[in-house]
């Protein structure tokens, strides 16, 4: 007589790809909100300083998200930070990578290639297009057709348009 088999927990399908897509959208929205909030009414624009703070905010957000994810899945008996917690924090790299285009555009302004206002406009444009791409890609990965995927990309793109609109209205 054979022993009953123990059911396996459901396997997380394509978790690295899901983390990439999640981090990409989250990081792109974060970068857009941060760059839209740049305002130098009280002083001289410093796009280098702004680029550093956008990057530091992304690093802090990624670390906080990874740590929160780790503690949410911590078992009752665990009392110390484990290698799993560190791994969870490190797997949030897509969030940080998603802000790199914004940081690069701000560093271009710091290098004198364009003004900071032009950099902000360019970053918001690039990030809005990137949001379309993230939505399109996520829908294609989920097995949706091209029309449905473009619709999903368009919905994600609305986040970018919302940020651009809020930026215009607030200034």
């Amino acid at each position: 007589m054979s022993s009953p088999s123990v059911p396996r927990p459901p396997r997380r399908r394509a978790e690295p790809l899901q983390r990439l897509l999640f981090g990409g959208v989250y990081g792109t929205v974060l970068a857009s909100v941060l760059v839209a909030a740049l305002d130098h009414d009280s002083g001289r624009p410093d796009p280098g300083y702004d680029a550093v703070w956008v990057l530091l905010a992304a690093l802090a957000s990624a670390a906080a998200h990874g740590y929160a994810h780790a503690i949410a899945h911590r078992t009752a008996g665990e009392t110390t930070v484990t290698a799993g917690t560190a791994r969870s924090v490190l797997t949030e790299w897509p969030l940080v990578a998603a802000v790199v285009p914004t940081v690069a555009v701000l560093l271009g302004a710091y290098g004198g290639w364009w003004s900071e206002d032009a950099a902000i406009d360019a970053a918001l444009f690039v990030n809005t297009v990137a949001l379309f791409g993230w939505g399109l890609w996520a829908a294609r990965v989920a097995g949706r057709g091209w029309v449905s995927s473009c619709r999903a990309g368009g919905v994600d793109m609305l986040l970018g348009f919302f940020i651009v609109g809020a930026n215009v209205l607030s200034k």
Side-chain angles (χ1 to χ4, degrees):
M1 181 188 240
S2 65
S3 65
S5 64
V6 177
R8 291 182 180 174
R11 192 177 140 170
R12 288 184 155 168
R13 189 172 156 242
E15 185 172 333
L17 184 57
Q18 289 172 351
R19 283 187 183 266
L20 174 67
L21 294 169
F22 172 84
V25 170
Y26 191 95
T28 303
V29 170
L30 176 67
S32 295
V33 169
L34 291 171
V35 79
L38 294 177
D39 189 5
H40 297 286
D41 288 340
S42 62
R44 191 177 76 75
D46 187 350
Y49 175 85
D50 295 337
V52 168
W53 275 106
V54 168
L55 185 58
L56 288 175
L59 288 167
S61 295
H65 186 266
Y67 183 71
H69 184 75
I71 61 172
H73 291 87
R74 183 178 288 169
T75 61
E78 285 183 273
T79 58
T80 61
V81 174
T82 64
T85 302
R87 254 191 320 278
S88 181
V89 169
L90 291 174
T91 60
E92 298 299 326
W93 68 266
L95 190 157
V96 177
V99 305
V100 169
T102 299
V103 169
V105 169
L106 287 170
L107 290 176
Y110 179 73
W113 296 346
W114 44 76
S115 71
E116 186 174 42
D117 286 340
I120 290 168
D121 292 343
L124 289 172
F125 174 77
V126 167
N127 290 345
T128 300
V129 172
L131 285 168
F132 175 82
W134 288 118
L136 176 84
W137 188 15
R140 293 297 296 158
V141 165
R144 302 254 171 102
W146 280 104
V147 172
S148 178
S149 296
C150 286
R151 253 192 325 264
V155 170
D156 278 12
M157 195 178 215
L158 288 175
L159 289 168
F161 287 141
F162 174 78
I163 294 165
V164 169
N167 185 45
V168 168
L169 291 174
S170 71
K171 296 188 178 182

mmCIF file of all heavy atoms in Angstrom, residues 81-120:
data_model
loop_
_atom_site.group_PDB
_atom_site.id
_atom_site.type_symbol
_atom_site.label_atom_id
_atom_site.label_comp_id
_atom_site.label_asym_id
_atom_site.label_seq_id
_atom_site.Cartn_x
_atom_site.Cartn_y
_atom_site.Cartn_z
ATOM 1 N N VAL A 81 16.754 38.347 10.935
ATOM 2 C CA VAL A 81 16.797 38.602 9.499
ATOM 3 C C VAL A 81 17.605 37.477 8.871
ATOM 4 O O VAL A 81 18.682 37.126 9.340
ATOM 5 C CB VAL A 81 17.458 39.968 9.212
ATOM 6 C CG1 VAL A 81 17.631 40.183 7.729
ATOM 7 C CG2 VAL A 81 16.629 41.083 9.824
ATOM 8 N N THR A 82 17.069 36.908 7.828
ATOM 9 C CA THR A 82 17.723 35.771 7.193
ATOM 10 C C THR A 82 18.241 36.144 5.823
ATOM 11 O O THR A 82 17.988 37.234 5.308
ATOM 12 C CB THR A 82 16.720 34.614 7.043
ATOM 13 O OG1 THR A 82 15.683 35.042 6.144
ATOM 14 C CG2 THR A 82 16.125 34.205 8.370
ATOM 15 N N ALA A 83 18.943 35.201 5.231
ATOM 16 C CA ALA A 83 19.403 35.388 3.858
ATOM 17 C C ALA A 83 18.214 35.554 2.931
ATOM 18 O O ALA A 83 18.289 36.277 1.935
ATOM 19 C CB ALA A 83 20.264 34.201 3.434
ATOM 20 N N GLY A 84 17.098 34.920 3.266
ATOM 21 C CA GLY A 84 15.883 35.073 2.468
ATOM 22 C C GLY A 84 15.388 36.513 2.453
ATOM 23 O O GLY A 84 14.887 37.002 1.438
ATOM 24 N N THR A 85 15.524 37.188 3.584
ATOM 25 C CA THR A 85 15.124 38.601 3.652
ATOM 26 C C THR A 85 16.016 39.433 2.744
ATOM 27 O O THR A 85 15.530 40.274 1.982
ATOM 28 C CB THR A 85 15.207 39.112 5.099
ATOM 29 O OG1 THR A 85 14.366 38.307 5.922
ATOM 30 C CG2 THR A 85 14.787 40.565 5.187
ATOM 31 N N ALA A 86 17.312 39.183 2.807
ATOM 32 C CA ALA A 86 18.249 39.911 1.938
ATOM 33 C C ALA A 86 17.953 39.621 0.470
ATOM 34 O O ALA A 86 17.955 40.531 -0.365
ATOM 35 C CB ALA A 86 19.683 39.532 2.283
ATOM 36 N N ARG A 87 17.658 38.361 0.164
ATOM 37 C CA ARG A 87 17.307 37.997 -1.220
ATOM 38 C C ARG A 87 16.046 38.716 -1.668
ATOM 39 O O ARG A 87 15.949 39.190 -2.792
ATOM 40 C CB ARG A 87 17.110 36.484 -1.334
ATOM 41 C CG ARG A 87 18.230 35.770 -2.027
ATOM 42 C CD ARG A 87 17.882 34.320 -2.349
ATOM 43 N NE ARG A 87 17.148 33.580 -1.334
ATOM 44 C CZ ARG A 87 17.692 32.991 -0.278
ATOM 45 N NH1 ARG A 87 18.988 33.031 -0.086
ATOM 46 N NH2 ARG A 87 16.938 32.340 0.583
ATOM 47 N N SER A 88 15.064 38.804 -0.767
ATOM 48 C CA SER A 88 13.818 39.475 -1.093
ATOM 49 C C SER A 88 14.064 40.948 -1.425
ATOM 50 O O SER A 88 13.489 41.487 -2.366
ATOM 51 C CB SER A 88 12.838 39.357 0.069
ATOM 52 O OG SER A 88 11.621 39.979 -0.250
ATOM 53 N N VAL A 89 14.933 41.586 -0.677
ATOM 54 C CA VAL A 89 15.273 42.987 -0.938
ATOM 55 C C VAL A 89 15.989 43.109 -2.281
ATOM 56 O O VAL A 89 15.684 43.986 -3.094
ATOM 57 C CB VAL A 89 16.120 43.574 0.211
ATOM 58 C CG1 VAL A 89 16.697 44.927 -0.170
ATOM 59 C CG2 VAL A 89 15.282 43.676 1.486
ATOM 60 N N LEU A 90 16.929 42.202 -2.541
ATOM 61 C CA LEU A 90 17.694 42.275 -3.792
ATOM 62 C C LEU A 90 16.856 41.977 -5.031
ATOM 63 O O LEU A 90 17.177 42.448 -6.120
ATOM 64 C CB LEU A 90 18.895 41.328 -3.726
ATOM 65 C CG LEU A 90 19.982 41.742 -2.738
ATOM 66 C CD1 LEU A 90 21.052 40.657 -2.641
ATOM 67 C CD2 LEU A 90 20.596 43.074 -3.113
ATOM 68 N N THR A 91 15.770 41.228 -4.869
ATOM 69 C CA THR A 91 14.941 40.914 -6.038
ATOM 70 C C THR A 91 14.107 42.114 -6.489
ATOM 71 O O THR A 91 13.413 42.034 -7.501
ATOM 72 C CB THR A 91 14.003 39.717 -5.785
ATOM 73 O OG1 THR A 91 13.146 40.025 -4.693
ATOM 74 C CG2 THR A 91 14.775 38.445 -5.536
ATOM 75 N N GLU A 92 14.189 43.201 -5.772
ATOM 76 C CA GLU A 92 13.455 44.412 -6.155
ATOM 77 C C GLU A 92 14.247 45.294 -7.127
ATOM 78 O O GLU A 92 13.873 46.429 -7.388
ATOM 79 C CB GLU A 92 13.070 45.217 -4.911
ATOM 80 C CG GLU A 92 12.147 44.487 -3.976
ATOM 81 C CD GLU A 92 10.817 44.105 -4.602
ATOM 82 O OE1 GLU A 92 10.308 44.858 -5.448
ATOM 83 O OE2 GLU A 92 10.298 43.033 -4.245
ATOM 84 N N TRP A 93 15.331 44.753 -7.707
ATOM 85 C CA TRP A 93 16.168 45.541 -8.615
ATOM 86 C C TRP A 93 15.401 46.126 -9.800
ATOM 87 O O TRP A 93 15.751 47.219 -10.264
ATOM 88 C CB TRP A 93 17.374 44.724 -9.104
ATOM 89 C CG TRP A 93 17.011 43.587 -10.011
ATOM 90 C CD1 TRP A 93 16.796 42.287 -9.648
ATOM 91 C CD2 TRP A 93 16.789 43.654 -11.414
ATOM 92 N NE1 TRP A 93 16.451 41.543 -10.748
ATOM 93 C CE2 TRP A 93 16.443 42.352 -11.852
ATOM 94 C CE3 TRP A 93 16.845 44.682 -12.364
ATOM 95 C CZ2 TRP A 93 16.161 42.062 -13.181
ATOM 96 C CZ3 TRP A 93 16.563 44.384 -13.684
ATOM 97 C CH2 TRP A 93 16.233 43.081 -14.084
ATOM 98 N N PRO A 94 14.329 45.480 -10.322
ATOM 99 C CA PRO A 94 13.634 46.100 -11.454
ATOM 100 C C PRO A 94 13.053 47.480 -11.123
ATOM 101 O O PRO A 94 13.007 48.351 -11.984
ATOM 102 C CB PRO A 94 12.527 45.108 -11.799
ATOM 103 C CG PRO A 94 13.037 43.790 -11.307
ATOM 104 C CD PRO A 94 13.784 44.130 -10.048
ATOM 105 N N LEU A 95 12.642 47.678 -9.891
ATOM 106 C CA LEU A 95 12.119 48.974 -9.485
ATOM 107 C C LEU A 95 13.204 50.036 -9.642
ATOM 108 O O LEU A 95 12.952 51.119 -10.171
ATOM 109 C CB LEU A 95 11.638 48.894 -8.036
ATOM 110 C CG LEU A 95 10.852 50.065 -7.472
ATOM 111 C CD1 LEU A 95 10.012 49.586 -6.301
ATOM 112 C CD2 LEU A 95 11.703 51.213 -7.064
ATOM 113 N N VAL A 96 14.402 49.723 -9.202
ATOM 114 C CA VAL A 96 15.522 50.667 -9.311
ATOM 115 C C VAL A 96 15.908 50.857 -10.778
ATOM 116 O O VAL A 96 16.139 51.985 -11.231
ATOM 117 C CB VAL A 96 16.727 50.197 -8.467
ATOM 118 C CG1 VAL A 96 17.911 51.135 -8.629
ATOM 119 C CG2 VAL A 96 16.330 50.075 -6.993
ATOM 120 N N ALA A 97 15.948 49.775 -11.532
ATOM 121 C CA ALA A 97 16.325 49.875 -12.945
ATOM 122 C C ALA A 97 15.345 50.741 -13.725
ATOM 123 O O ALA A 97 15.739 51.439 -14.667
ATOM 124 C CB ALA A 97 16.405 48.478 -13.556
ATOM 125 N N ALA A 98 14.079 50.736 -13.335
ATOM 126 C CA ALA A 98 13.068 51.509 -14.053
ATOM 127 C C ALA A 98 13.255 53.016 -13.908
ATOM 128 O O ALA A 98 12.751 53.770 -14.736
ATOM 129 C CB ALA A 98 11.672 51.101 -13.596
ATOM 130 N N VAL A 99 13.975 53.464 -12.889
ATOM 131 C CA VAL A 99 14.196 54.910 -12.741
ATOM 132 C C VAL A 99 15.439 55.380 -13.486
ATOM 133 O O VAL A 99 15.673 56.580 -13.598
ATOM 134 C CB VAL A 99 14.264 55.366 -11.261
ATOM 135 C CG1 VAL A 99 13.028 54.941 -10.491
ATOM 136 C CG2 VAL A 99 15.522 54.912 -10.583
ATOM 137 N N VAL A 100 16.223 54.457 -14.011
ATOM 138 C CA VAL A 100 17.470 54.827 -14.681
ATOM 139 C C VAL A 100 17.250 55.787 -15.854
ATOM 140 O O VAL A 100 18.008 56.759 -15.985
ATOM 141 C CB VAL A 100 18.266 53.566 -15.094
ATOM 142 C CG1 VAL A 100 19.418 53.908 -16.022
ATOM 143 C CG2 VAL A 100 18.781 52.842 -13.844
ATOM 144 N N PRO A 101 16.242 55.596 -16.712
ATOM 145 C CA PRO A 101 16.055 56.587 -17.790
ATOM 146 C C PRO A 101 15.807 58.004 -17.253
ATOM 147 O O PRO A 101 16.339 58.978 -17.798
ATOM 148 C CB PRO A 101 14.837 56.070 -18.553
ATOM 149 C CG PRO A 101 14.831 54.602 -18.286
ATOM 150 C CD PRO A 101 15.332 54.459 -16.875
ATOM 151 N N THR A 102 15.047 58.134 -16.187
ATOM 152 C CA THR A 102 14.792 59.445 -15.591
ATOM 153 C C THR A 102 16.077 60.035 -15.036
ATOM 154 O O THR A 102 16.373 61.211 -15.250
ATOM 155 C CB THR A 102 13.724 59.334 -14.488
ATOM 156 O OG1 THR A 102 12.518 58.850 -15.083
ATOM 157 C CG2 THR A 102 13.474 60.658 -13.803
ATOM 158 N N VAL A 103 16.844 59.211 -14.333
ATOM 159 C CA VAL A 103 18.124 59.674 -13.786
ATOM 160 C C VAL A 103 19.057 60.090 -14.923
ATOM 161 O O VAL A 103 19.715 61.132 -14.847
ATOM 162 C CB VAL A 103 18.761 58.578 -12.894
ATOM 163 C CG1 VAL A 103 20.194 58.916 -12.522
ATOM 164 C CG2 VAL A 103 17.913 58.361 -11.641
ATOM 165 N N ALA A 104 19.086 59.317 -16.000
ATOM 166 C CA ALA A 104 19.956 59.641 -17.140
ATOM 167 C C ALA A 104 19.572 60.974 -17.774
ATOM 168 O O ALA A 104 20.448 61.787 -18.116
ATOM 169 C CB ALA A 104 19.905 58.517 -18.176
ATOM 170 N N VAL A 105 18.264 61.207 -17.930
ATOM 171 C CA VAL A 105 17.815 62.474 -18.517
ATOM 172 C C VAL A 105 18.195 63.645 -17.612
ATOM 173 O O VAL A 105 18.653 64.694 -18.082
ATOM 174 C CB VAL A 105 16.291 62.423 -18.795
ATOM 175 C CG1 VAL A 105 15.750 63.779 -19.153
ATOM 176 C CG2 VAL A 105 15.994 61.426 -19.902
ATOM 177 N N LEU A 106 18.022 63.479 -16.295
ATOM 178 C CA LEU A 106 18.415 64.543 -15.357
ATOM 179 C C LEU A 106 19.921 64.771 -15.378
ATOM 180 O O LEU A 106 20.385 65.911 -15.307
ATOM 181 C CB LEU A 106 17.939 64.212 -13.945
ATOM 182 C CG LEU A 106 16.440 64.341 -13.704
ATOM 183 C CD1 LEU A 106 16.062 63.754 -12.347
ATOM 184 C CD2 LEU A 106 15.999 65.795 -13.812
ATOM 185 N N LEU A 107 20.694 63.694 -15.492
ATOM 186 C CA LEU A 107 22.151 63.856 -15.570
ATOM 187 C C LEU A 107 22.560 64.548 -16.867
ATOM 188 O O LEU A 107 23.549 65.287 -16.896
ATOM 189 C CB LEU A 107 22.854 62.504 -15.415
ATOM 190 C CG LEU A 107 22.786 61.900 -14.010
ATOM 191 C CD1 LEU A 107 23.433 60.521 -13.991
ATOM 192 C CD2 LEU A 107 23.442 62.824 -12.984
ATOM 193 N N GLY A 108 21.794 64.329 -17.938
ATOM 194 C CA GLY A 108 22.039 65.069 -19.183
ATOM 195 C C GLY A 108 21.847 66.561 -18.975
ATOM 196 O O GLY A 108 22.609 67.383 -19.494
ATOM 197 N N ALA A 109 20.827 66.927 -18.205
ATOM 198 C CA ALA A 109 20.619 68.345 -17.877
ATOM 199 C C ALA A 109 21.746 68.862 -16.992
ATOM 200 O O ALA A 109 22.213 69.990 -17.160
ATOM 201 C CB ALA A 109 19.264 68.531 -17.194
ATOM 202 N N TYR A 110 22.205 68.034 -16.076
ATOM 203 C CA TYR A 110 23.322 68.415 -15.210
ATOM 204 C C TYR A 110 24.580 68.655 -16.052
ATOM 205 O O TYR A 110 25.352 69.566 -15.775
ATOM 206 C CB TYR A 110 23.566 67.322 -14.176
ATOM 207 C CG TYR A 110 24.723 67.607 -13.245
ATOM 208 C CD1 TYR A 110 24.602 68.571 -12.257
ATOM 209 C CD2 TYR A 110 25.916 66.907 -13.352
ATOM 210 C CE1 TYR A 110 25.658 68.845 -11.393
ATOM 211 C CE2 TYR A 110 26.972 67.162 -12.499
ATOM 212 C CZ TYR A 110 26.840 68.129 -11.519
ATOM 213 O OH TYR A 110 27.884 68.395 -10.669
ATOM 214 N N GLY A 111 24.751 67.863 -17.099
ATOM 215 C CA GLY A 111 25.894 68.023 -18.001
ATOM 216 C C GLY A 111 25.752 69.190 -18.965
ATOM 217 O O GLY A 111 26.639 69.458 -19.763
ATOM 218 N N GLY A 112 24.613 69.870 -18.916
ATOM 219 C CA GLY A 112 24.415 71.044 -19.744
ATOM 220 C C GLY A 112 23.883 70.741 -21.137
ATOM 221 O O GLY A 112 23.867 71.613 -22.003
ATOM 222 N N TRP A 113 23.432 69.538 -21.383
ATOM 223 C CA TRP A 113 22.938 69.177 -22.710
ATOM 224 C C TRP A 113 21.574 69.797 -22.975
ATOM 225 O O TRP A 113 21.190 69.987 -24.113
ATOM 226 C CB TRP A 113 22.864 67.671 -22.870
ATOM 227 C CG TRP A 113 24.201 66.992 -22.796
ATOM 228 C CD1 TRP A 113 25.425 67.583 -22.871
ATOM 229 C CD2 TRP A 113 24.445 65.608 -22.626
ATOM 230 N NE1 TRP A 113 26.417 66.648 -22.756
ATOM 231 C CE2 TRP A 113 25.838 65.405 -22.603
ATOM 232 C CE3 TRP A 113 23.623 64.506 -22.477
ATOM 233 C CZ2 TRP A 113 26.418 64.176 -22.456
ATOM 234 C CZ3 TRP A 113 24.206 63.261 -22.324
ATOM 235 C CH2 TRP A 113 25.595 63.111 -22.321
ATOM 236 N N TRP A 114 20.791 70.029 -21.926
ATOM 237 C CA TRP A 114 19.485 70.656 -22.041
ATOM 238 C C TRP A 114 19.119 71.217 -20.676
ATOM 239 O O TRP A 114 19.804 70.971 -19.687
ATOM 240 C CB TRP A 114 18.413 69.681 -22.536
ATOM 241 C CG TRP A 114 18.469 68.331 -21.880
ATOM 242 C CD1 TRP A 114 18.036 68.035 -20.627
ATOM 243 C CD2 TRP A 114 19.006 67.129 -22.410
ATOM 244 N NE1 TRP A 114 18.275 66.710 -20.341
ATOM 245 C CE2 TRP A 114 18.863 66.127 -21.434
ATOM 246 C CE3 TRP A 114 19.586 66.785 -23.619
ATOM 247 C CZ2 TRP A 114 19.278 64.820 -21.625
ATOM 248 C CZ3 TRP A 114 20.000 65.483 -23.806
ATOM 249 C CH2 TRP A 114 19.846 64.514 -22.825
ATOM 250 N N SER A 115 18.046 71.966 -20.622
ATOM 251 C CA SER A 115 17.616 72.550 -19.352
ATOM 252 C C SER A 115 16.935 71.493 -18.482
ATOM 253 O O SER A 115 16.505 70.450 -18.980
ATOM 254 C CB SER A 115 16.634 73.702 -19.612
ATOM 255 O OG SER A 115 15.395 73.190 -20.081
ATOM 256 N N GLU A 116 16.802 71.811 -17.205
ATOM 257 C CA GLU A 116 16.117 70.863 -16.331
ATOM 258 C C GLU A 116 14.636 70.762 -16.688
ATOM 259 O O GLU A 116 14.055 69.677 -16.634
ATOM 260 C CB GLU A 116 16.274 71.231 -14.856
ATOM 261 C CG GLU A 116 15.670 70.159 -13.959
ATOM 262 C CD GLU A 116 15.897 70.368 -12.491
ATOM 263 O OE1 GLU A 116 15.783 71.516 -12.031
ATOM 264 O OE2 GLU A 116 16.170 69.371 -11.811
ATOM 265 N N ASP A 117 14.031 71.868 -17.091
ATOM 266 C CA ASP A 117 12.627 71.812 -17.508
ATOM 267 C C ASP A 117 12.452 70.879 -18.708
ATOM 268 O O ASP A 117 11.499 70.100 -18.771
ATOM 269 C CB ASP A 117 12.095 73.202 -17.841
ATOM 270 C CG ASP A 117 11.843 74.032 -16.592
ATOM 271 O OD1 ASP A 117 11.706 73.447 -15.496
ATOM 272 O OD2 ASP A 117 11.788 75.275 -16.718
ATOM 273 N N ALA A 118 13.381 70.961 -19.671
ATOM 274 C CA ALA A 118 13.324 70.062 -20.836
ATOM 275 C C ALA A 118 13.541 68.621 -20.396
ATOM 276 O O ALA A 118 12.907 67.692 -20.926
ATOM 277 C CB ALA A 118 14.366 70.470 -21.875
ATOM 278 N N ALA A 119 14.419 68.410 -19.413
ATOM 279 C CA ALA A 119 14.672 67.064 -18.899
ATOM 280 C C ALA A 119 13.426 66.497 -18.233
ATOM 281 O O ALA A 119 13.100 65.315 -18.402
ATOM 282 C CB ALA A 119 15.839 67.082 -17.913
ATOM 283 N N ILE A 120 12.722 67.331 -17.476
ATOM 284 C CA ILE A 120 11.496 66.883 -16.815
ATOM 285 C C ILE A 120 10.461 66.482 -17.860
ATOM 286 O O ILE A 120 9.848 65.411 -17.768
ATOM 287 C CB ILE A 120 10.957 67.971 -15.864
ATOM 288 C CG1 ILE A 120 11.900 68.113 -14.661
ATOM 289 C CG2 ILE A 120 9.530 67.664 -15.414
ATOM 290 C CD1 ILE A 120 11.630 69.331 -13.807
#
